[in-house]
Amino acid sequence: MKVLIDQLFLGWNELETPEEYEIMKRYAENSRRYSLGYSLYCFVSAFLFLCMSLIPPLLDIVLPLNESRPVLSVHPGYYFVDERKYFFYIFWHAVIAWEIAVTGIVAHDCLLLTYIEHICSIFAIVGFRFERVMYKHNESTIKVLHSHDTNDTFRKRIAFSVYMHRKALKFAQLVEDTFSLTLTIQIALNTVMISITLLQITQQNASVFVVVRYIVYVLSQLIHIFCLSFEGQKLIDHSLQTRDKIYTSLWYETPPKSQKMLLFVMQKTLQPIFLSACKIYIFSMENFTMVMQTSMSYFTVLASLE
């Protein structure tokens, strides 16, 4: 983990122009904004999910009936005590336990999100340099460099861009190796839990409150997978955009030796960089629908066994 954190600072130290600084800054701001929004959503949704168990006691106070409404358990479980008598003790125990669990999940996901945004920023800077490898700013005009004396300058610029590109690839591989196992556990649990929750919703004896709670829970699981898939898709798109930016640049104005270096980079970008769960599941918007289809398939099998 220390190696990953060190990589975040190394990227800033290698910026050359104000434009590159603005690119890196924009992605850093996106990372902070996404992390804050995701954290707020997870904590608030978890707390509201648990607070729905307070609805029956509150209704007994506001709209009392001849008999007390059934207790809505905070979550399925057996505490070996009278749940009605010790309801609020159980409730606050569940709130603390769930918030601790959510804290671990949020910390994991926000770290992953930050690393992916940083990798995307490096790809964006590499593409920015390749697009402008044949230009230099001279007062208010942009002039193409044709002098023979500038061949070494071209090679240095391209070599440095190639170095940054290789660094982004290495960093992406390091991130995947670090988070691959935890992402596999998350995607497996989410798929199974969505299927089981859908089965609980279809049970005939499920009350309205239980159905609403489980629908909210399923939506939360889908949003969780969607956020990871969105970042995975962003990583794929940025890795492929490098090739397009090289192709749209004035590569044909570079010396032959420099063109060979560009071909090397384009060859590296033929295969997109992706975030996967132990190479079994690739996080992308296309595969996001596959998770929903798989969950529905498991739900159908479980429902047929009832």
Side-chain angles (χ1 to χ4, degrees):
M1 189 62 68
K2 184 179 182 299
V3 178
L4 291 173
I5 296 176
D6 292 340
Q7 292 289 335
L8 294 177
F9 294 98
L10 291 176
W12 290 90
N13 298 330
E14 296 171 348
L15 302 180
E16 294 182 343
T17 63
E19 291 84 356
E20 295 178 2
Y21 177 81
E22 289 298 323
I23 292 174
M24 187 75 78
K25 181 180 177 181
R26 184 173 70 252
Y27 281 87
E29 291 176 348
N30 289 339
S31 175
R32 181 182 62 180
R33 183 165 56 251
Y34 293 160
S35 298
L36 289 176
Y38 180 76
S39 302
L40 182 63
Y41 162 76
C42 289
F43 284 112
V44 172
S45 60
F47 183 74
L48 292 178
F49 173 80
L50 296 174
C51 286
M52 293 186 68
S53 61
L54 296 175
I55 294 179
L58 292 177
L59 289 177
D60 287 339
I61 298 175
V62 179
L63 299 173
L65 300 176
N66 293 332
E67 59 181 9
S68 299
R69 292 175 174 84
V71 175
L72 181 60
S73 301
V74 179
H75 54 76
Y78 188 67
Y79 282 84
F80 301 98
V81 294
D82 187 352
E83 293 188 10
R84 182 175 296 278
K85 180 178 179 181
Y86 296 97
F87 173 79
F88 289 101
Y89 293 97
I90 297 174
F91 172 77
W92 288 112
H93 171 267
V95 169
I96 295 174
W98 275 76
E99 293 299 336
I100 292 175
V102 171
T103 300
I105 296 174
V106 168
H108 171 275
D109 293 345
C110 288
L111 276 176
L112 178 61
L113 185 150
T114 302
Y115 293 143
I116 292 178
E117 288 292 328
H118 184 66
I119 296 172
C120 292
S121 68
I122 297 177
F123 279 126
I125 290 174
V126 170
F128 175 82
R129 289 180 177 179
F130 278 128
E131 283 182 328
R132 288 155 179 79
V133 70
M134 288 296 298
Y135 292 98
K136 73 174 181 179
H137 294 278
N138 184 10
E139 296 178 351
S140 61
T141 60
I142 299 178
K143 296 183 179 180
V144 182
L145 302 174
H146 293 287
S147 173
H148 177 72
D149 297 335
T150 60
N151 288 347
D152 291 338
T153 303
F154 288 144
R155 284 195 294 269
K156 290 180 180 179
R157 289 182 179 180
I158 295 176
F160 189 75
S161 298
V162 172
Y163 163 75
M164 290 292 293
H165 185 259
R166 294 182 62 183
K167 178 181 176 180
L169 297 179
K170 183 178 179 181
F171 189 24
Q173 185 61 47
L174 181 60
V175 169
E176 182 177 0
D177 294 340
T178 303
F179 292 91
S180 181
L181 178 60
T182 56
L183 289 175
T184 303
I185 296 174
Q186 282 193 8
I187 196 69
L189 288 177
N190 286 342
T191 304
V192 174
M193 292 169 69
I194 290 174
S195 303
I196 296 176
T197 305
L198 290 175
L199 180 63
Q200 292 175 328
I201 292 175
T202 57
Q203 291 179 349
Q204 296 180 357
N205 57 349
S207 63
V208 176
F209 296 118
V210 173
V211 171
V212 173
R213 286 185 65 190
Y214 285 145
I215 290 177
V216 173
Y217 182 76
V218 170
L219 292 177
S220 299
Q221 293 292 333
L222 291 176
I223 293 175
H224 179 212
I225 301 175
F226 174 81
C227 292
L228 296 177
S229 300
F230 176 78
E231 288 298 320
Q233 184 65 52
K234 195 171 184 179
L235 180 62
I236 294 174
D237 295 340
H238 277 71
S239 64
L240 295 176
Q241 286 174 3
T242 304
R243 177 188 58 196
D244 299 333
K245 291 182 178 180
I246 294 175
Y247 183 77
T248 57
S249 67
L250 299 179
W251 57 268
Y252 46 84
E253 296 287 349
T254 60
K257 292 184 179 180
S258 300
Q259 293 180 13
K260 293 180 180 179
M261 297 176 67
L262 293 176
L263 289 175
F264 174 77
V265 177
M266 294 184 70
Q267 184 179 8
K268 284 288 186 180
T269 57
L270 290 177
Q271 295 295 331
I273 305 301
F274 52 81
L275 180 69
S276 69
C278 289
K279 308 296 183 181
I280 300 174
Y281 174 82
I282 297 176
F283 287 91
S284 64
M285 298 307 297
E286 181 180 359
N287 289 337
F288 172 69
T289 59
M290 185 184 71
V291 173
M292 294 189 292
Q293 293 175 355
T294 303
S295 299
M296 291 300 298
S297 299
Y298 292 160
F299 160 67
T300 304
V301 173
L302 292 174
S304 64
L305 297 177
E306 286 290 325

